[in-house]
Amino acid sequence: MIDPFGRKISYLRLSVTDRCDLRCVYCMAEEMTFLPKTEVLSLEELERLAGAFIRLGTTKLRLTGGEPLVRRGILDLIGNLGRHYLANGALRELTLTTNGTQLAKSADALRAAGVKRLNVSLDSFDPARFRAITRTGDLAQVMDGLRAAKQAGLKVKINMVALKGINEEEFDQAVAWCGEQGFDLVLIETMPLGEVEDRLEHYLPLDEVKRRLAAKWTLEPSVMNTGGPARYMRVAETGQMLGFITPLTHGFCESCNRVRVTCTGTLFLCLGQEDAADLRAPLRAGQSDEGLEQAILAAIGRKPKGHDFIIDRDHRRPALARHMSMTGG
Ligand code: SAM
């Protein structure tokens, strides 16, 4: 799959549910209305769709949500994907982004299915603050999950959203703790997605964070490039990687290799644009595999060049009304 700007699209982020057991303040409203079950793709439909993308050249598949591990039957889907596509080399990587709450009971099954690495979102190491950010979360549960992941042999990358006045004094501790655990750490700027509490107030440019961390740690330039938006440094003292995702201060669209599919089968060609294609209709209309693949290819032919997120006082509205949990983070 090559888009109109010559970018090879080899990475699919597939959302398997819009539901989540947490309600992070920058991601979801306190009272979310979730989709009726009939609108959400069944596990069989998700598997068929993943298969079509893989036949078209997707080599990296990330399951996300919502919280992927709260979807009933998800471990069966992951097991099937591993068996069918990792085993024969069609898929190079099958991975997940998770909040970690369900990892204690699923880490072994994930590893057995062929998952090697996980991104785990964790915005605070303080139980009370973690609860405040997630509105409902129990930090100890996530810590248990992380222990299980490590024990199962899964490589972990911690994703931490930088929130001004909320978790900004924890980054130093996060670098140290991730170093001890052997986890990589990625700091993320808040993106203007979905109507949530005032984001401008908590927006923290990562350039400033990087400067502060560089005063304490030796940050060596790294050539590590995952094909994604993160720019990595190596923390000399710990040997772990430290990444920065700065969608607002630095664009990352030139090297974009990804598309996203929501749990309702809408293919979004860019996280920050409305361009989309409905893949649920062909799936449910009994289209052949070829028909489904044609629908995907036609959409890839419309992938936009990039997004233009802005957070400033003149743009208090979100760039897009849909939440990250809808598009799949
Ligand atoms: N539930 C899973 C999790 O917590 O990782 C997967 C879905 S979650 C939407 C994926 C990632 O998106 C999380 O790391 C979350 O912090 C991040 N995220 C959500 N809304 C965001 C926003 N507006 N700006 C930046 N990151 C956001």
Side-chain angles (χ1 to χ4, degrees):
M1 291 182 281
I2 306 285
D3 82 355
F5 303 93
R7 295 170 297 193
K8 192 171 168 190
I9 309 304
S10 56
Y11 179 11
L12 171 65
R13 297 170 74 106
L14 178 59
S15 174
V16 298
T17 179
D18 63 329
R19 284 161 203 262
C20 188
D21 52 341
L22 302 182
R23 294 285 181 280
C24 298
V25 289
Y26 55 82
C27 182
M28 287 191 175
E30 190 156 15
E31 295 297 326
M32 291 289 288
T33 311
F34 293 111
L35 295 164
K37 264 204 183 127
T38 50
E39 297 218 4
V40 176
L41 298 185
S42 67
L43 294 175
E44 293 71 24
E45 288 169 330
L46 287 166
E47 193 172 331
R48 207 175 146 221
L49 202 53
F53 272 93
I54 293 165
R55 284 193 299 279
L56 289 171
T58 295
T59 54
K60 176 170 174 178
L61 175 59
R62 177 180 298 279
L63 302 183
T64 178
E67 171 47 42
L69 294 176
V70 300
R71 171 87 197 244
R72 195 170 301 154
I74 191 65
L75 293 176
D76 296 332
L77 173 67
I78 296 171
N80 289 348
L81 291 172
R83 210 170 16 259
H84 293 144
Y85 304 112
L86 279 176
N88 68 7
L91 205 53
R92 250 184 259 143
E93 182 165 22
L94 175 59
T95 184
L96 274 87
T97 298
T98 172
N99 61 27
T101 61
Q102 312 300 312
L103 274 179
K105 57 179 187 232
S106 45
D108 285 333
L110 293 174
R111 188 67 194 87
V115 174
K116 293 199 176 110
R117 302 193 298 162
L118 293 175
N119 286 4
V120 179
S121 306
L122 181 55
D123 298 331
S124 177
F125 296 84
D126 172 80
R129 192 174 292 140
F130 180 78
R131 167 62 61 95
I133 295 171
T134 58
R135 292 196 183 102
T136 56
D138 173 8
L139 181 63
Q141 197 182 342
V142 176
M143 288 297 172
D144 283 348
L146 284 168
R147 250 188 307 277
K150 203 169 144 178
Q151 252 165 27
L154 291 160
K155 206 168 163 348
V156 172
K157 189 190 282 176
I158 300 290
N159 280 343
M160 188 172 185
V161 174
L163 300 162
K164 189 181 183 127
I166 299 184
N167 64 1
E168 61 182 317
E169 70 271 34
E170 290 196 49
F171 303 142
D172 188 42
Q173 182 192 350
V175 172
W177 185 81
C178 286
E180 284 160 23
Q181 298 297 320
F183 298 161
D184 291 334
L185 173 66
V186 173
L187 298 175
I188 306 174
E189 280 176 357
T190 49
M191 294 177 235
L193 300 172
E195 298 274 358
V196 295
E197 287 158 20
D198 196 354
R199 210 175 259 121
L200 178 61
E201 202 183 311
H202 301 303
Y203 170 59
L204 181 60
L206 287 183
D207 285 0
E208 195 182 316
V209 174
K210 201 178 196 174
R211 262 196 306 278
R212 280 188 231 159
L213 287 174
K216 169 94 198 254
W217 302 92
T218 314
L219 303 184
E220 297 171 339
S222 159
V223 288
M224 177 159 141
N225 181 0
T226 57
R231 298 286 169 262
Y232 285 92
M233 312 287 285
R234 187 174 166 277
V235 184
E237 289 83 353
T238 67
Q240 293 305 128
M241 303 307 280
L242 172 63
F244 297 88
I245 299 188
T246 57
L248 293 143
T249 46
H250 305 286
F252 49 65
C253 303
E254 326 69 56
S255 59
C256 184
N257 62 350
R258 63 196 57 197
V259 290
R260 295 172 155 81
V261 173
T262 69
C263 60
T264 57
T266 302
L267 168 60
F268 279 104
L269 298 155
C270 170
L271 180 60
Q273 300 282 4
E274 298 286 5
D275 306 69
D278 176 18
L279 299 177
R280 188 179 61 187
L283 265 174
R284 293 196 173 166
Q287 270 283 5
S288 62
D289 285 348
E290 292 69 36
L292 192 55
E293 288 166 23
Q294 280 312 315
I296 295 170
L297 286 175
I300 297 293
R302 294 189 284 111
K303 184 168 163 68
K305 192 165 181 197
H307 58 66
D308 32 35
F309 291 144
I310 314 170
I311 293 189
D312 65 29
R313 305 212 171 259
D314 299 328
H315 298 83
R316 296 190 79 97
R317 314 304 317 147
L320 286 178
R322 66 176 194 268
H323 289 265
M324 186 77 119
S325 57
M326 166 74 198
T327 321

